[in-house]
Amino acid sequence: MSKTQLFDLDGKIAFVSGASRGIGEAIAKLLAQQGAHVIVSSRKLDGCQQVADAIIAEGGKATAIACHIGEMEQIQQVFAALREQFGRLDILVNNAATNPQFCNVLDTDLGAFQKTVDVNIRGYFFMSVEAGKLMREHGGGSIINVASINGISPGIFQGIYSVTKAAVINMTKVFAKECAQFGIRCNALLPGLTDTKFASALVKNDAILNTALAQIPLKRVAAPSEMAGTVLYLASDASSYTTGVALNVDGGFLS
Ligand SMILES: NC(=O)c1ccc[n+]([C@@H]2O[C@H](COP(=O)([O-])OP(=O)(O)OC[C@H]3O[C@@H](n4cnc5c(N)ncnc54)[C@H](OP(=O)(O)O)[C@@H]3O)[C@@H](O)[C@H]2O)c1
C-alpha cells in the first residue's frame, strides 16, 4: 500500500505574502517541505531572504522577493518579475495584513482606516487578480486568503481590521465563483489567536489573554505551525473539490 500523493506540491510555484515571520513563515516552510518552489515575500527583503535561506538549507526551493501589498505599483512589479522568472504561478497565499490601530471604533483614525483597507482589502484583491490572470493562462491554481475569526465575530478594539477580514471572506467567495471556470479555486483560512508578533499585544497581556482563553475551548493559543496544515490542504489536490469555503482554525472559538 503506497502513501497518499494528495498533499504533494512537486513542481508547483507558490507565492506567500507576509512570509518573513509568523504564520506566513510557517506556511512557506511547509509548502516547500512538500515540494513547492516558494516565493517568500514581505516588505523587507532581509527577513524573507533568511526564511528562503533556511528552506534551501533544508533541501527545499525558495526565492525571496520584496513586495508591499498596499502599494499597487509593487504588486504590478512583483507579477512582472514572476512572469519573467517563473512564467507561471500555481498557489497564492494572501497572508500579509495590517492592524495599525487598537481603539474604540469611534476613535478610528482616517490614516489607519485607509492603510488597513489598502493592505487588507485592495492588496488581497489585486494580488488575487494578478495571480488569477497568470493561473488562467496555465489551466488553474489555488488561492488561499488568510482572513481571521474577527471577520465573523469582530474583535474588541479591532473595528476596521475586522471589517476588512469580513471583506476577505466575501472576496474569497467572489473569486471562487468567478474563477472556477478557469480551474482556479479560492478558499480562506480563519485563524484564531496565534502566537506571533502581530498578536503579541494580546498574548503578552495577562488580562486580555485570560479573557481570550476563557472563550477558546482548547484553552490555549495556536502556534503558527498549526495554521500551515490547513493551507497545505487548501493548496493541494487533497481539496480539489473545495472552493469558496472559510475554514476556522480557532481552537473551537467560533463553535
Ligand atoms: N496572529 C494572530 O492571532 C492572527 C489571528 C487571526 C488572523 N491572523 C492573520 O494572519 C496573517 C499573518 O499574521 P501573523 O500573526 O503571522 O503576523 P506577523 O507575525 O506580524 O507577520 C506579518 C507578516 O506580514 C508582513 N507584512 C506586514 N505588512 C505588510 C505589507 N503591507 N505588505 C507585505 N508584507 C507585509 C511582515 O513582514 P514585513 O514587516 O517585512 O513586511 C510579516 O512577514 C494576517 O493576515 C493576520 O491578519 C493572525
Side-chain angles (χ1 to χ4, degrees):
M1 196 168 63
S2 59
K3 284 187 185 167
T4 178
Q5 305 294 304
L6 282 174
F7 297 95
D8 277 6
L9 299 180
D10 283 340
K12 305 281 188 196
I13 308 291
F15 185 103
V16 184
S17 71
S20 64
R21 61 174 187 263
I23 293 171
E25 177 182 2
I27 292 168
K29 287 181 169 169
L30 186 62
L31 299 187
Q33 199 179 308
Q34 290 304 108
H37 185 130
V38 179
I39 294 128
V40 179
S41 189
S42 78
R43 289 167 301 182
K44 299 177 204 111
L45 191 59
D46 282 3
C48 297
Q49 193 61 58
Q50 282 179 25
V51 172
D53 288 346
I55 289 172
I56 293 164
E58 292 285 318
K61 295 181 275 302
T63 304
I65 299 185
C67 178
H68 185 323
I69 64 154
E71 302 286 344
M72 287 300 294
E73 311 76 50
Q74 293 198 28
I75 293 177
Q76 299 301 329
Q77 283 163 7
V78 89
F79 275 92
L82 288 183
R83 278 180 183 278
E84 170 114 10
Q85 282 184 45
F86 300 97
R88 60 179 296 139
L89 185 67
D90 303 291
I91 298 157
L92 168 69
V93 184
N94 277 316
N95 166 74
T98 192
N99 187 11
Q101 200 182 12
F102 193 71
C103 68
N104 184 279
V105 69
L106 299 186
D107 297 320
T108 305
D109 169 78
L110 180 57
F113 176 97
Q114 196 61 55
K115 182 178 178 189
T116 313
V117 169
D118 287 355
V119 173
N120 299 7
I121 301 182
R122 195 182 67 189
Y124 275 45
F125 189 92
F126 283 100
M127 288 293 291
S128 301
V129 166
E130 291 305 323
K133 288 178 184 168
L134 200 44
M135 290 171 178
R136 181 175 59 184
E137 290 169 21
H138 295 276
S142 175
I143 299 173
I144 297 116
N145 291 323
V146 180
S148 170
I149 53 169
N150 287 3
I152 302 287
S153 177
I156 268 304
F157 291 167
Q158 298 173 70
I160 184 55
Y161 170 79
S162 300
V163 170
T164 64
K165 291 298 186 176
V168 168
I169 295 168
N170 190 272
M171 189 190 303
T172 301
K173 295 177 187 171
V174 169
F175 279 82
K177 282 190 173 168
E178 296 198 19
C179 300
Q181 63 185 309
F182 308 124
I184 300 167
R185 297 183 296 107
C186 183
N187 294 289
L189 163 74
L190 276 55
L193 191 55
T194 308
D195 192 5
T196 67
K197 185 178 177 201
F198 192 84
S200 58
L202 309 179
V203 173
K204 298 210 185 317
N205 178 315
D206 279 348
I208 296 178
L209 178 63
N210 289 333
T211 307
L213 290 179
Q215 299 173 69
I216 301 171
L218 285 183
K219 295 288 169 228
R220 62 179 178 83
V221 301
S225 59
E226 293 182 282
M227 298 298 142
T230 300
V231 174
L232 171 61
Y233 165 67
L234 294 173
S236 68
D237 286 347
S239 63
S240 55
Y241 199 60
T242 300
T243 195
V245 306
L247 282 177
N248 313 332
V249 182
D250 63 353
F253 174 84
L254 288 176
S255 58

